[in-house]
Amino acid sequence: MFNPGYFEDDMLGGGMYPRSISHRAGGPPRRFDEYYRCYPIAMLPGPERDNVNHGGKAILPPSALDKLTRLHITYPMMFELRNGAADKLTHAGVLEFIAEEGKIYLPYW
């Protein structure tokens, strides 16, 4: 049964994830703010990856993994993607870190 207030009332800190997962205990949340040029998966060089279009996972560059590692992030990695020009927002996970620098490849939603 759907209970809209279930996560807000739990004893671990509220929200969808417990406090220890949403940010490091004893410190402020660490942010990963980067700007990338977004492309559809169809433009990813190499073999076709039709199955990637059916999930909510993005392909980021290796430098993103390096920065995330230095931030000591917690898993699973979930990203908020913003298009400031269109004032739109969505969320995605990460599939691989193989994109060219400065680019991110997203599934066709």
Side-chain angles (χ1 to χ4, degrees):
M1 177 178 226
F2 178 70
N3 181 358
Y6 177 78
F7 292 111
E8 283 75 56
D9 295 333
D10 69 5
M11 297 187 319
L12 295 172
M16 185 170 169
Y17 298 107
R19 186 176 306 275
S20 62
I21 294 175
S22 63
H23 67 274
R24 297 181 74 208
R30 295 178 180 230
R31 294 186 55 96
F32 176 75
D33 287 326
E34 292 294 326
Y35 292 92
Y36 295 104
R37 203 168 274 281
C38 298
Y39 295 94
I41 293 289
M43 294 184 70
L44 182 66
E48 287 191 34
R49 298 171 176 242
D50 293 330
N51 61 334
V52 178
N53 267 328
H54 302 292
K57 306 265 179 152
I59 297 178
L60 289 111
S63 62
L65 177 60
D66 182 51
K67 290 178 183 179
L68 289 164
T69 303
R70 284 188 271 128
L71 287 173
H72 303 288
I73 54 97
T74 56
Y75 295 89
M77 286 187 260
M78 191 63 138
F79 300 95
E80 181 178 273
L81 307 172
R82 291 181 176 266
N83 180 341
D87 196 33
K88 298 211 178 210
L89 151 77
T90 191
H91 294 86
V94 64
L95 181 65
E96 294 182 79
F97 293 94
I98 59 167
E100 297 91 7
E101 292 302 323
K103 295 181 181 180
I104 182 175
Y105 293 93
L106 301 169
Y108 182 76
W109 285 302

